[in-house]
Amino acid sequence: MSAPTHQPTESIDLAITGMTCASCSARIERKLNKLEGVEAAVNLATEKARVQYAAPLTVADIVKTVQSAGYGAAPLGSVPTAAPATLERPGSPAGSEPLTGPEGSAGPVRQSGDHDEHRAPEPAPEDHLAHDVAPADSLRRRAIVASALGALVVLIAMVMPVRDALGGAGPWLELVLTIPIYTWAAWPFHRAAAINARHLSSTMDTLVSIGITAAFGWSVVAVLTGFSDHLYFEVVGAVTAFLLIGRYIEARAKAQGRSALHSLLELGAKDVAVLRTDGAGAWREHRIPVEQLSIGANFVVRPGEKIATDGTVLEGDSAVDTSMVTGESMPVEVSEGHEVVGGTINGHGRLIVRATRVGAETTLARITKLVEDAQMGKAPVQRLADRVSAVFVPAVLVIAAVTLLLWLVTGHGVTEALEPAVAVLIIACPCALGLATPTALLTGTGRGAQLGILIKGPQILESTRTIDTVVLDKTGTVTTGEPVLGDIVSTFREDAVLKAAAAVEQGSEHPIARAIVSAAEDRGIDLPRVRSFTNLPGQGAEGSVNGMTVRVGKPDLFEEVPAHLQAALDAGTGTTVLVGWEGTAHGALTVADAVRPTSAAAVSRLRELGLTPYLLTGDNEHTAAAVAQQVGIDHVQANVLPQDKHARITALQREGRVVAMVGDGVNDAAALAQADLGMAMGSGTDVAMESADIVLMRADVDTVAEAIGLSRQTLRVIKQNLVWAFGYNTAAIPLAAFGLLNPMIAGGAMALSSVLVVLNSLRLRGYGR
């Protein structure tokens, strides 16, 4: 009877060195997942592994396992999986002080209870050297040398006038020029192939090293013995140069794909001016590193400075540029009591802010963590590529050997048989296959973060492809969630009625009262002082205005309600209150939740994506219909209680619809979880955002369409990359085996295929511009 499998309880991110292709990442992943209680995902593009593990395994055991596969590994941090990263709405109550790294850093931390054996050992010198893949500048130098010398070799070997002019010295000159190419420029391929061979494995580097070694070895022997005039020095030079150039371009392009995440990491302020009292009790500014900032500290933000961390404005008025965090293009006005987010840029005013979250608990840190988590994952379409990559290189080695033997047994000479075999080895390198998914995912999620769209995982991309219905919660999603005064129906001047109502409502904190007072202030109406204010529970309020008792509220407060005012009450397009005096109602004021200015255009865009929008609300049918008409939604479900939202989503699914739900409140959490795709507004609650698959940092329905469009485009790019990678290898290997592909052309084509995959992924950087 086998021992029970341990459930993963902790997670570690590892930086992996030495990976060059999909078979590398697949082998590391396979090796780790053989450990009991381990779930591992290895990402070639980010050069990271995320490993979930359980005791008695330690980080040291995991690192040793990676090293035993022939690669280098170093832990980036240890975090408990029981507490997944979620986003807190700016303005939600600050929780307990977060665990942070040294000096309050925002990075991953060692948990209490961790022991020294959880720390990974330093990699052995040989492993570190063997798998420290040449950085971009080293690749560039090797590519330049290989290209310069390789061009001369090709000139000597293939340009007849030059070849004839050199005569017998030509082959020897080719040998001299090719030696540094083979031994120094191509050293990364040989080194990786040798280490992999020591671990009884093979990768792309194995194919390259064997291919150019066969061509170089044959040519050296031919020059030294003179038994053949067929030399392949130009193949060694051209193939090595092509591959190095391709790998250099690929490294640069991958770095560009990570730039969006890097820009998030660089957003935070480096230092901050905190306010502290001196010995005399006066407040003084002290500039400290932002890592030393603690919850509850007051700090100063001058015009043009970055806000150091999430907090509440204590003093000052300004406009804050939140574009890099939320994607919102227009500055947001803030004043005393408003919440601000760390990493955003203060505009024209001086602010004093009290820190409410620091380190790993800040909005920016949580956004970064969500993006990193998404980039570490794998889309379902990647699984097929991983399975193919695991057997691809050994299969190619067999195909190359069979190609050589078949050419020999069919009466061809060794020289004729060697060329197609070498071409098979070189053309078949599965770089493009390994880069197809992670580079697109890297770029797409990074671009999403810039637009204020946080895609929680690669599997979400597949969900967006099948969605055909979008259910929009009305309050706070299609509408602003803040009531505003709409229609006024009165027996005489509107301003007089509004003035009387607002004068009484000055004494109330009810949302409807605030909407009426705000509307009067916007019209520049001077409000008289109210005396003898009385709240009438369940009915309204009354007060003495200029010596006359004015009532605001329900019809029961009045002895007489004119017919046209009663008609306004019956219309039901919002919440309508009456205002009057001396027992008679003289005006009807309708307060309704304001529709967002962008909602109508956003709904139209959803339709263009082939989606059917539904409006879900707890309001009455009249109000729901009025909002739906404004934004262009045909399907409305009104009078929906919070506990019924989940059931409505389920009902749509039973009708065969694939449903996306968009909401922002606690009462939306169950519906978000039930939906095939849950999308939470970033202005909403933590519970809603934790239940969602996509978090929208901008409270705007337009981001719904933008998020679905970006997700679908990312998935489309992944599929384009995979089709190209699979199709390229499927078509190219037979051509090479039948001798229809020169090894030099094969080298160039292989390098170009990887570059094309990465460049195709980088197109996502321009999405939404």
Side-chain angles (χ1 to χ4, degrees):
M1 182 175 176
S2 60
T5 301
H6 294 285
Q7 295 300 315
T9 57
E10 292 195 45
S11 177
I12 184 76
D13 286 347
L14 301 176
I16 306 294
T17 57
M19 293 191 298
T20 56
C21 64
S23 56
C24 297
S25 56
R27 188 166 75 257
I28 297 172
E29 192 171 290
R30 191 166 59 251
K31 191 99 171 176
L32 288 171
N33 283 324
K34 285 182 180 179
L35 298 175
E36 186 177 3
V38 167
E39 296 176 9
V42 182
N43 192 305
L44 176 63
T46 60
E47 297 175 342
K48 292 180 184 178
R50 167 143 311 161
V51 186
Q52 292 182 339
Y53 64 97
L57 281 177
T58 66
V59 175
D61 297 328
I62 294 168
V63 170
K64 286 178 181 177
T65 301
V66 176
Q67 292 175 344
S68 71
Y71 300 87
L76 296 175
S78 181
V79 294
T81 58
T86 59
L87 283 172
E88 291 189 358
R89 172 177 60 87
S92 63
S96 58
E97 186 166 344
L99 287 171
T100 59
E103 299 182 358
S105 65
V109 296
R110 290 185 69 225
Q111 303 302 306
S112 58
D114 284 356
H115 301 289
D116 288 341
E117 65 267 21
H118 282 225
R119 294 179 180 176
E122 291 294 326
E126 179 190 21
D127 283 337
H128 179 74
L129 177 65
H131 300 297
D132 183 19
V133 176
D137 57 347
S138 177
L139 285 172
R140 181 172 54 83
R141 288 193 300 270
R142 293 177 191 273
I144 290 172
V145 171
S147 299
L149 297 181
L152 292 175
V153 173
V154 171
L155 187 68
I156 296 170
M158 306 191 71
V159 179
M160 293 305 297
V162 177
R163 186 174 181 177
D164 292 341
L166 291 172
W172 290 96
L173 184 55
E174 287 183 50
L175 173 59
V176 171
L177 292 171
T178 306
I179 286 175
I181 299 175
Y182 177 78
T183 58
W184 180 77
W187 176 242
F189 305 118
H190 302 316
R191 182 179 59 185
I195 295 297
N196 285 315
R198 190 185 74 188
H199 292 278
L200 302 178
S201 61
S202 57
T203 66
M204 181 206 82
D205 297 292
T206 304
L207 302 181
V208 174
S209 182
I210 291 176
I212 61 176
T213 296
F216 182 73
W218 170 273
S219 303
V220 170
V221 172
V223 170
L224 295 178
T225 63
F227 79 91
S228 175
D229 292 331
H230 293 280
L231 306 178
Y232 295 103
F233 288 125
E234 75 278 6
V235 171
V236 177
V239 167
T240 302
F242 281 140
L243 297 186
L244 288 171
I245 292 171
R247 189 170 288 187
Y248 170 69
I249 295 173
E250 176 187 310
R252 290 290 303 273
K254 283 162 65 178
Q256 290 179 29
R258 289 192 288 265
S259 64
L261 182 57
H262 287 170
S263 66
L264 281 176
L265 294 171
E266 291 298 319
L267 267 183
K270 301 298 183 288
D271 53 28
V272 57
V274 296
L275 290 175
R276 294 173 179 169
T277 55
D278 58 16
W283 290 97
R284 304 287 184 187
E285 292 185 22
H286 297 268
R287 192 158 287 275
I288 62 172
V290 72
E291 292 82 8
Q292 297 178 13
L293 192 62
S294 60
I295 292 176
N298 297 338
F299 60 94
V300 177
V301 190
R302 291 184 175 81
E305 285 187 337
K306 289 180 181 177
I307 297 174
T309 194
D310 295 1
T312 303
V313 177
L314 299 180
E315 182 181 310
D317 299 277
S318 187
V320 176
D321 179 0
T322 65
S323 58
M324 283 300 290
V325 174
T326 67
E328 177 62 56
S329 59
M330 297 298 293
V332 177
E333 297 290 335
V334 298
S335 57
E336 181 180 343
H338 282 89
E339 303 298 322
V340 290
V341 176
T344 56
I345 300 174
N346 184 26
H348 55 78
R350 179 180 183 272
L351 299 175
I352 296 178
V353 180
R354 174 164 292 166
T356 57
R357 282 186 293 273
V358 297
E361 296 301 308
T362 63
T363 300
L364 183 60
R366 290 173 179 272
I367 289 173
T368 305
K369 184 68 167 60
L370 280 180
V371 176
E372 285 180 328
D373 289 348
Q375 293 180 347
M376 281 299 300
K378 292 190 177 183
V381 292
Q382 174 68 11
R383 301 296 175 183
L384 176 60
D386 288 346
R387 289 195 294 270
V388 171
S389 298
V391 297
F392 192 80
V393 174
V396 169
L397 291 172
V398 171
I399 293 172
V402 170
T403 298
L404 180 65
L405 290 174
L406 287 177
W407 278 76
L408 290 174
V409 299
T410 53
H412 297 84
V414 177
T415 302
E416 293 175 292
L418 183 63
E419 185 170 305
V422 170
V424 167
L425 290 171
I426 293 171
I427 197 66
C429 297
C431 291
L433 193 61
L435 293 169
T437 296
T439 53
L441 187 61
L442 191 72
T443 311
T445 53
R447 179 57 183 155
Q450 291 178 329
L451 295 172
I453 299 166
L454 306 182
I455 303 168
K456 284 191 175 180
Q459 68 280 1
I460 306 305
L461 304 177
E462 294 278 5
S463 300
T464 62
R465 179 177 59 86
T466 56
I467 293 299
D468 57 29
T469 302
V470 176
V471 175
L472 302 171
D473 183 54
K474 181 186 77 70
T475 305
T477 302
V478 174
T479 64
T480 62
E482 299 178 1
V484 295
L485 180 63
D487 296 333
I488 300 177
V489 179
S490 64
T491 57
F492 46 96
R493 288 188 302 110
E494 282 189 6
D495 283 1
V497 170
L498 179 57
K499 182 176 182 177
V504 173
E505 297 289 26
Q506 288 180 94
S508 175
E509 290 299 320
H510 194 281
I512 293 177
R514 291 200 300 269
I516 292 172
V517 173
S518 178
E521 291 174 346
D522 290 343
R523 294 193 183 192
I525 298 174
D526 292 327
L527 300 181
R529 183 178 178 182
V530 62
R531 299 180 183 276
S532 303
F533 174 82
T534 304
N535 184 41
L536 305 173
Q539 296 292 318
E542 69 176 16
S544 177
V545 180
N546 295 329
M548 183 169 54
T549 300
V550 177
R551 289 183 172 182
V552 182
K554 292 185 177 180
D556 295 345
L557 296 176
F558 305 97
E559 299 171 6
E560 182 181 348
V561 179
H564 64 293
L565 299 186
Q566 186 61 51
L569 284 169
D570 296 338
T573 56
T575 300
T576 301
V577 296
L578 298 178
V579 56
W581 47 90
E582 297 179 350
T584 302
H586 293 287
L589 286 69
T590 300
V591 175
D593 192 1
V595 174
R596 295 186 188 277
T598 57
S599 291
V603 168
S604 177
R605 190 174 174 191
L606 289 172
R607 293 185 187 281
E608 291 173 2
L609 290 170
L611 305 171
T612 302
Y614 276 70
L615 185 66
L616 197 66
T617 177
D619 287 342
N620 59 62
E621 293 182 358
H622 288 296
T623 301
V627 172
Q629 185 177 12
Q630 287 185 62
V631 299
I633 295 178
D634 299 327
H635 303 278
V636 183
Q637 297 185 347
N639 299 310
V640 179
L641 298 175
Q643 60 268 30
D644 294 337
K645 292 183 178 181
H646 175 276
R648 294 300 178 99
I649 298 297
T650 304
L652 287 172
Q653 290 171 327
R654 286 174 180 167
E655 293 175 10
R657 296 184 176 275
V658 185
V659 182
M661 168 70 188
V662 185
D664 73 339
V666 172
N667 54 36
D668 296 327
L672 289 170
Q674 173 63 32
D676 299 283
L677 180 69
M679 306 177 76
M681 292 288 189
S683 60
T685 63
D686 298 341
V687 176
M689 288 187 282
E690 188 172 342
S691 304
D693 302 307
I694 297 177
V695 177
L696 309 173
M697 296 304 294
R698 272 185 290 147
D700 192 330
V701 185
D702 191 52
T703 57
V704 176
E706 205 163 51
I708 294 175
L710 175 61
S711 299
R712 287 181 174 180
Q713 181 64 18
T714 302
L715 183 63
R716 193 175 299 119
V717 168
I718 288 174
K719 291 186 174 181
Q720 289 170 354
N721 288 348
L722 287 173
V723 167
W724 165 253
F726 277 121
Y728 164 82
N729 287 120
T730 301
I733 290 176
L735 290 176
F738 284 108
L740 302 176
L741 207 57
N742 182 280
M744 283 195 301
I745 298 175
M750 193 279 286
L752 183 62
S753 69
S754 298
V755 173
L756 287 176
V757 161
V758 176
L759 292 179
N760 188 44
S761 299
L762 289 180
R763 292 190 302 115
L764 291 167
R765 296 176 70 196
Y767 182 87
R769 288 176 179 163

